[in-house]
Amino acid sequence: MMGTGRRKGCFGSEEAGGGAFRRNVPPGVRRAAVLCVLCLALGAGFLSPPAAAGAADTEAYINGVLTFFGGNEEAVRAKLGEPRLVRERKQQNRHDDSLTDVVVTLCYSEAEVSFYRMEAGGELPLTVRVFSPKMTLPGGLRVGSSLSQVRALLGEPTGEDEGVLLYETESGYTNLVIRYYRDAVTEIEANSWPD
């Protein structure tokens, strides 16, 4: 068989460029083999469970939620428009008694966003609360997501109580509270405690 360009195929028959496989194997077996290969390829890519988030990933995720609508009041207003209500609460600066800071909360029909505005200058994201399915957060998290979707995105919570999943970070300065009823998320709240 030298010089014919033929070689032994997977099924023991001689083949040239796969032609013998097509000729010598019944169509049903051919289809089954192709389907098996496709299933294996799809299973390897799409059916594998997602990796659980680690502590660093959780902290990065929470920080991403805290700044998702903007890192300061001006940016939030530019993204979401004028709020239906603005609440302000004075807060004594814990490092300097001569300074009085302000917690500003922008209230929208779908979410609330709070900032810590320092008298010395600057704003820090404080809280983001989302209570409408119209708002989709990073990773597709939204009101209405299932608990399995939350766990697939964030891993196992650091705490769990009736109707609440809690994701706390190692630094202790941020957390994410997921409130749910039955198997559906009803509210998402990211918090930061600036020092």
Side-chain angles (χ1 to χ4, degrees), residues 19-181:
F21 179 73
R22 286 188 207 104
R23 283 192 306 272
N24 297 335
V25 177
V29 174
R30 240 188 347 251
R31 271 187 239 113
V34 170
L35 284 174
C36 284
V37 170
L38 287 174
C39 287
L40 288 171
L42 288 173
F46 295 109
L47 300 179
S48 301
D57 295 332
T58 302
E59 188 147 9
Y61 183 83
I62 294 170
N63 288 330
V65 171
L66 286 165
T67 58
F68 184 69
F69 300 115
N72 58 43
E73 182 179 351
E74 183 181 343
V76 171
R77 286 176 183 267
K79 186 168 186 175
L80 298 179
E82 285 303 307
R84 61 179 178 78
L85 177 69
V86 177
R87 292 193 312 255
E88 292 188 4
R89 176 177 50 90
K90 292 184 178 183
Q91 176 79 37
Q92 186 69 47
N93 185 296
R94 55 183 276 188
H95 298 289
D96 187 342
D97 291 340
S98 68
L99 299 175
T100 302
D101 302 327
V102 179
V103 174
V104 179
T105 302
L106 307 177
C107 303
Y108 296 89
S109 56
E110 296 88 15
E112 288 182 4
V113 183
S114 297
F115 295 95
Y116 190 84
R117 183 183 298 147
M118 296 168 281
E119 186 178 341
E123 291 179 347
L124 297 170
L126 201 58
T127 301
V128 169
R129 284 183 58 230
V130 174
F131 35 82
S132 168
K134 294 179 183 176
M135 297 284 192
T136 302
L137 296 171
L141 183 62
R142 64 180 189 84
V143 168
S145 293
S146 69
L147 298 186
S148 60
Q149 290 172 318
V150 173
R151 285 184 164 95
L153 179 65
L154 298 169
E156 287 302 313
T158 53
E160 186 169 355
D161 201 357
E162 183 73 27
V164 177
L165 299 179
L166 176 64
Y167 290 88
E168 292 180 302
T169 58
E170 288 183 14
S171 70
Y173 290 111
T174 57
N175 76 12
L176 185 69
V177 179
I178 308 287
R179 292 180 180 84
Y180 65 91
Y181 180 69

